[in-house]
Amino acid sequence: MDRNGTESGDAVAAGDGHDELVADLLAGSHRALARVITLIEDQSPGYRDVVSALHPHTGSADVIGVTGAPGAGKSTLVDKLAAAYRDRGDTVGVVAVDPASPYTGGAVLGDRIRMGSNVGDMDVFFRSMSARGQLGGLSMATADAVKALDAFGKDTVMIETVGAGQNEVDVVRTADTVAVLVQPGAGDDVQTLKAGILEIGDVFVVNKTDMDGAERTLVEIEEMVHRREGDTAGFDAGHHGAVAGGARTENDADAGGWTPDVVGTVANAGEGVPELIAAFDAHATHLRESGELVRTQRRRYAQEIRTLVRADIGALASAAIERRGGIETLADRVRRKETDPYAVAAELVGPIESCVDDAVDETAGE
Amino acid sequence: MSVDSEERTVRCLVAKVGLDGHDRGAHVIARAFRDAGFEVVYSGLHRAPEEIVQAAVQEDVDVLGISILSGAHNTLVPKVIAGLREYGAFEDTLVLVGGIVPDEDETELKSLGVAEVFGPGTSMAETVEFVRANLPERA
């Protein structure tokens, strides 16, 4: 069903000479896939048509986000996960996001160094992306890159990002299943997890469980996970939740909720990786069976539409500002008390608003 | 935003290939490229030619800088170039070699399609300038 979201289906033309590129990507050309992701990153002319043409072909990949503090072992774990997925015959795509310098825009993208288990295996498509300082644009670019990998036919797509701020949280939320990585002895880290990151985790991974303090960190996370569940599910879940740490009771499932799994791993040795994949699969099954997947997708597409509309209207407004002599000229007029910020804003937005009203009238008249 | 992306972002792969553990030069050039505003993917040490090809194709880089100090450039660089050709990525990738390469080998590497060979003492500014001036056109 979701593969035929548009009337024209496969016939969507990408325009700008990118038709061939889209056809090549769908036919399995690695070069075309790489080139499409570059178009998306650069927001090159015509990239939107390319993503539109790919959209009907998306929806078959399981999308997994992996986030955590620097040094927690994300890249190593993603490498081992990719190898494990390959062992069971799945093809894999990885998008690894690294920060860029706010001064030069340059970046050293080092996540690829850890991809030692998938040497020369082109069925693992690994792509580094830099957070080029785009506000909100990063999550959009990541989501579009994931769509390209999905349309290419990857069974599993992983998004890897440092869990540092809102931007990264937005990125990882473009995934169906989010794994949050923690390392042992990260007492204060576990505290900071409460703010923001905890809410987004569907699976928590305590990596480097061969280190001291791993047991304690596992217990702490288990506790937090169940406290979160208690907060949202009320007394009933709290009652059952007291039965056993980590065991999911039937009651939780009835509530349509998901109690995050907590998995211990030693990523560089590959320990715990099968258990982690089982947890991902369980979450994917939960999403499908509970109907949560539909809600997740709806929320995600709603966010994409909002982001695009805001960006486009913002661009219209910027153009309007330029036509009136630029923002500094306008600011000077305000400074000289010739006008005020509200009046300027109204003056700029007015024409856009009346166009929107006209358009609404026209559709109503039809 | 603080970054004005009027010119397109240059993507580079800095690669160490073969049994050669000397990566100081690769690190220095990676940082110089980063400070020039490029996005740099670093391969890590001891990569096989097919790994370099895989990375260059998937990352869709404009520039591939191969750092090689082991003397095995005549064996390894042709394999990388053949791999790029196989995936249709050779035409729009600027291939550079950095390291100790005798003059007669340099001529041969260039005839294979290496754009330039940078020996010891090349300044970072010179390398960055060369990249900017010789960036392959993209459709």
Side-chain angles (χ1 to χ4, degrees):
Chain A
M1 282 292 280
D2 52 355
R3 291 198 155 253
N4 289 306
T6 54
E7 290 274 347
S8 42
D10 290 5
V12 180
D16 265 344
H18 293 318
D19 290 358
E20 203 181 328
L21 197 57
V22 171
D24 286 351
L25 181 151
L26 295 174
S29 159
H30 290 95
R31 183 77 183 137
L33 173 57
R35 185 54 57 85
V36 164
I37 297 177
T38 304
L39 290 177
I40 289 166
E41 272 201 288
D42 290 345
Q43 304 201 328
S44 300
Y47 93 94
R48 287 188 176 197
D49 296 327
V50 171
V51 180
S52 300
L54 293 176
H55 183 77
H57 302 275
T58 61
S60 52
D62 285 334
V63 185
I64 294 161
V66 178
T67 189
K74 296 177 294 297
S75 298
T76 308
L77 187 64
V78 165
D79 177 46
K80 290 296 191 290
L81 283 167
Y85 278 120
R86 290 294 296 129
D87 282 346
R88 74 177 196 190
D90 289 357
T91 56
V92 179
V94 180
V95 178
V97 182
D98 263 337
S101 158
Y103 301 108
T104 64
V108 173
L109 309 169
D111 295 316
R112 202 172 182 108
I113 297 177
R114 306 274 174 254
M115 293 304 288
S117 304
N118 300 284
V119 172
D121 179 3
M122 284 301 265
D123 283 329
V124 177
F125 193 100
F126 186 100
R127 181 61 179 247
S128 315
M129 280 175 84
S130 111
R132 292 182 186 170
Q134 313 126 317
L135 207 58
L138 178 61
S139 55
M140 199 68 202
T142 313
D144 286 345
V146 169
K147 280 180 198 166
L149 289 161
D150 188 350
F152 184 83
K154 294 299 183 191
D155 300 310
T156 303
V157 178
M158 289 185 272
I159 306 167
E160 178 196 332
T161 177
V162 173
Q166 190 58 46
N167 229 354
E168 285 73 17
V169 169
D170 287 345
V171 168
V172 88
R173 283 190 63 145
T174 60
D176 301 320
T177 301
V178 175
V180 174
L181 239 74
V182 184
Q183 47 184 340
D188 290 345
D189 278 7
V190 173
Q191 294 298 316
T192 57
L193 273 182
K194 289 176 185 170
I197 303 277
L198 178 63
E199 291 93 325
I200 65 166
D202 300 306
V203 178
F204 287 87
V205 185
V206 178
N207 191 28
K208 310 184 190 180
T209 45
D210 51 345
M211 275 171 61
D212 288 346
E215 280 304 315
R216 191 176 152 184
T217 306
L218 275 165
V219 170
E220 280 175 357
I221 304 243
E222 288 274 1
E223 270 175 16
M224 271 199 318
V225 162
H226 288 279
R227 207 178 303 143
R228 165 173 105 164
E229 176 196 351
D231 288 345
T232 52
F235 293 111
D236 209 22
H239 175 72
H240 288 272
V243 176
R248 198 169 308 122
T249 62
E250 282 201 17
N251 202 55
D252 297 333
D254 287 347
W258 165 259
T259 306
D261 281 312
V262 182
V263 181
T265 58
V266 184
N268 58 5
E271 279 173 36
V273 169
E275 290 80 1
L276 186 54
I277 287 187
F280 290 158
D281 289 344
H283 187 250
T285 308
H286 161 78
L287 286 178
R288 270 190 285 272
E289 288 178 356
S290 66
E292 192 61 38
L293 189 60
V294 175
R295 281 191 287 276
T296 310
Q297 284 173 343
R298 193 183 292 138
R299 193 195 67 220
R300 199 154 55 213
Y301 287 134
Q303 190 55 44
E304 285 186 22
I305 295 168
R306 272 192 217 106
T307 305
L308 284 173
V309 168
R310 264 187 213 137
D312 290 356
I313 293 190
L316 284 178
S318 298
I321 289 169
E322 285 310 312
R323 275 198 296 277
R324 283 170 176 75
I327 194 77
E328 289 184 359
T329 312
L330 293 171
D332 276 338
R333 283 183 55 209
V334 170
R335 197 173 50 81
R336 289 194 296 267
K337 303 286 186 288
E338 292 168 17
T339 181
D340 65 281
Y342 289 96
V344 173
E347 197 184 311
L348 289 167
V349 177
I352 300 176
E353 202 174 359
S354 58
C355 286
V356 172
D357 288 345
D358 288 350
V360 171
D361 290 346
E362 272 171 37
T363 29
E366 273 166 19
Chain B
M1 295 305 294
S2 51
V3 181
D4 230 16
S5 55
E6 276 179 12
E7 49 188 68
R8 83 186 155 95
T9 307
V10 179
R11 286 174 68 87
C12 310
L13 173 64
V14 173
K16 285 298 299 183
V17 63
L19 296 173
D20 166 12
H22 302 88
D23 58 355
R24 181 62 57 90
H27 287 180
V28 170
I29 199 72
R31 288 193 57 163
F33 281 172
R34 182 199 67 186
D35 291 344
F38 301 172
E39 287 176 5
V40 185
V41 179
Y42 177 53
S43 72
L45 278 172
H46 308 311
R47 299 297 149 167
E50 50 269 31
E51 279 179 85
I52 302 301
V53 171
Q54 183 184 15
V57 171
Q58 294 184 348
E59 300 288 355
D60 193 20
V61 291
D62 306 288
V63 182
L64 167 58
I66 305 170
S67 162
I68 188 158
L69 292 151
S70 65
H73 43 263
N74 284 342
T75 317
L76 298 169
V77 175
K79 285 185 186 167
V80 172
I81 289 178
L84 290 177
R85 285 189 193 280
E86 188 189 329
Y87 285 99
F90 174 75
E91 294 305 324
D92 44 19
T93 307
L94 185 70
V95 181
L96 308 176
V97 170
I100 298 165
V101 177
D103 288 346
E104 61 266 32
D105 292 355
E106 181 173 333
T107 315
E108 190 168 332
L109 289 179
K110 282 185 176 170
S111 74
L112 272 172
V114 172
E116 192 53 87
V117 176
F118 295 102
T122 313
S123 79
M124 292 303 123
E126 194 185 318
T127 314
V128 168
E129 202 40 57
F130 183 88
V131 169
R132 286 200 203 279
N134 293 281
L135 218 50
E137 286 294 320
R138 284 283 172 99

